[in-house]
Amino acid sequence: MIIFGSPRRYLQGRDAIARLGEEVAKLGKTAVLVADAHVLDLVGAKAQASCKAAGIVLTPITFGGEITHAEVERMAGLCGANPPEVVIAAGGGKTIDAGKFLSGKIKAKLATMPTVASNDSPTSHIIVVYDENHKLTGVEKLAGNPDLVLVDTAVIAKAPAALLSAGIGDAIVKRFEVEQCVGVRGNNVFGGRSPLTALALAHACYDTVRVDAVAALAAVGRGEPDEALERMIEASVLMSGLAFESGGLSVCHAMTRGLSAVPGPASALHGHQVAYGLLVQLALEGRAADFIADIRGFFAQVGLPLSLADLGFTGGAAEIATIAELTAQAAHMKHFERPVSALDLVAAIESVEAAALVKKDAA
C-alpha cells in the first residue's frame, strides 16, 4: 500500500509573517511561540502583532538550544495546567523539532515558521532527538504533519549563507535516496510504499537545486529575496520534505548516525552531513567518474563538503571505522540496492577522501 503525507497548509512569500495571525486563528485562539532568544528578537514582535490583530493570545517560550527530552518537559511545564491550542515553532531545525515534540506532548495543533532554509524539518512529522552532548539519540514521530507551515522569505534572505548551503545539501540528496528506496521497494517514513508522486518530487527538487542554488545564495548575499531564492526555498523546505517522508531515505541520512558520533562532524550542520553522505552513497553505487566530478563541482560552488576535513574532522582510521560501524547499523541502510557492511563504507569513505586529495593537489 502506498502512503503519502503532507502538511495541511503551506504559505511562502515575502512578509508572510503578517499572515500568521489569520492563519493560526483557523487552528485556535491561544498559542505559544517556541523560539530561541535570537529568533524571538527577530520575529517575536511581528508575530505578536499579527496574532493580536487576529484575537489570538500568544505567549513566548524561549527554547534552550538542544532538543532533549528534559528540554521538552521543561517547556511543557511552562504551558501550565491549561495548555495552548496551538504551538508555533519558529527558527531552525532543532527549534522546530522541539516545537513539534511539545505540540505532541500537550496535544496542541502545530504551526512551523522557519527563519532559515537549512533543512526540511518544517514540513515533516519527524522529530530528531539529541542528548545534552549534542549526540543524536533517536527519532520520534508526531501523529501527523504540521497543520500550518508559514515561510517568510524576507526573513530567510537575511540568514547566513551557510545555512542555505546546508538546505541545498539536505535537498539535493533526496533524489538519490528516494531512487534507492523505490528501487528496493522499501517502506517510506509512514510505513508504506513510496508513491510515484514522491519520486517525481525528489527529481523536481534536484532539478530546482541545480538550476537555482547559486543564484539563491547570491540573493542571500544581498539580503533580498528574488525568484531564484523563492524557488530554492520551496525546494529545500517543501519539495525536499514531501519527497523524503513519502519517498524514503537511504545511505545519505544513515551517515548522520556515524558522523554525529565523532568530534568535528558531530557539530556540522545536518545538511552538510548528509551532503557528505551523498558522496559516500555515490561511491557505493559505483557512479561514473564524470557524474561524480559534476556533483563535486557543484558542491564546490555552493559550499558543500568535499571531505571529512570540511566537516571539521581531525581524526584518523579509528574514527572513520566508528563512522562506518554506526552508519552500517542505521535503519535507512536497508534501502540500498545491495547489503552494505562497515568495511564497504570504510572503502567508500576512503575513495571520497582520495578524490578530495587529488583535487587539492591539482589546485
Side-chain angles (χ1 to χ4, degrees):
M1 179 182 295
I2 67 170
I3 301 177
F4 183 87
S6 68
R8 285 182 57 194
R9 190 163 170 82
Y10 180 91
L11 281 80
Q12 176 187 312
R14 183 192 290 264
D15 301 322
I17 194 170
R19 292 276 298 271
L20 179 66
E22 64 182 275
E23 294 294 331
V24 170
K26 300 169 185 175
L27 305 175
K29 290 297 182 183
T30 58
V32 291
L33 175 62
V34 175
D36 63 28
H38 170 71
V39 172
L40 284 175
D41 286 342
L42 185 68
V43 302
K46 290 181 179 179
Q48 192 70 256
S50 182
C51 286
K52 183 177 180 180
I56 297 164
V57 176
L58 180 65
T59 304
I61 290 180
T62 304
F63 172 54
E66 188 58 89
I67 175 169
T68 64
H69 288 275
E71 175 64 7
V72 174
E73 289 288 350
R74 181 190 71 82
M75 293 192 297
L78 294 175
C79 291
N82 296 304
E85 296 174 274
V86 185
V87 171
I88 304 168
K94 286 191 176 184
T95 307
I96 286 174
D97 275 7
K100 291 180 193 174
F101 209 163
L102 176 63
S103 72
K105 182 169 286 291
I106 66 174
K107 309 258 187 301
K109 300 286 188 180
L110 173 65
T112 64
M113 189 168 65
T115 56
V116 297
S118 60
N119 57 61
D120 49 30
S121 173
T123 62
S124 82
H125 77 304
I126 297 297
I127 304 162
V128 182
V129 184
Y130 295 79
D131 63 19
E132 290 77 4
N133 297 314
H134 312 294
K135 182 180 177 181
L136 191 154
T137 60
V139 174
E140 302 281 344
K141 295 180 182 179
L142 287 178
N145 292 69
D147 299 281
L148 170 68
V149 181
L150 188 144
V151 187
D152 191 324
T153 55
V155 173
I156 290 175
K158 291 179 171 58
L163 296 175
L164 181 60
S165 170
I168 292 166
D170 197 28
I172 197 172
V173 306
K174 300 303 169 28
R175 166 193 161 183
F176 303 95
E177 294 192 282
V178 175
E179 284 178 346
Q180 283 289 345
C181 193
V182 169
V184 300
R185 299 173 70 83
N187 283 345
N188 61 20
V189 176
F190 298 106
R193 298 288 295 281
S194 306
L196 292 176
T197 303
L199 183 59
L201 281 165
H203 279 264
C205 183
Y206 175 84
D207 292 343
T208 304
V209 170
R210 291 303 304 263
V211 170
D212 290 309
V214 173
L217 285 166
V220 167
R222 297 189 302 270
E224 287 290 334
D226 62 8
E227 287 304 312
L229 182 58
E230 292 281 354
R231 290 190 294 268
M232 186 61 244
I233 290 169
E234 182 182 348
S236 63
V237 178
L238 183 59
M239 293 184 203
S240 178
L242 297 179
F244 101 79
E245 285 205 301
S246 294
L249 296 171
S250 186
V251 176
C252 305
H253 275 73
M255 286 288 295
T256 64
R257 288 291 181 146
L259 292 170
S260 67
V262 297
S267 302
L269 293 166
H270 170 81
H272 289 162
Q273 290 181 343
V274 298
Y276 182 82
L278 175 58
L279 298 179
V280 174
Q281 179 171 322
L282 294 178
L284 289 168
E285 289 178 0
R287 294 274 184 164
D290 58 346
F291 186 91
I292 292 176
D294 174 64
I295 294 291
R296 292 180 68 89
F298 175 74
F299 274 28
Q301 283 185 295
V302 297
L304 293 176
L306 295 170
S307 67
L308 285 171
D310 291 340
L311 293 174
F313 182 80
T314 58
E319 289 77 16
I320 288 175
T322 296
I323 293 170
E325 288 163 9
L326 293 176
T327 298
Q329 297 167 19
H332 301 315
M333 289 301 299
K334 66 180 180 288
H335 298 152
F336 194 68
E337 60 199 32
R338 59 181 171 82
V340 177
S341 69
L343 288 177
D344 293 329
L345 283 161
V346 168
I349 291 169
E350 288 176 345
S351 74
V352 171
E353 296 302 300
L357 283 175
V358 169
K359 182 70 173 177
K360 185 177 179 181
D361 290 342

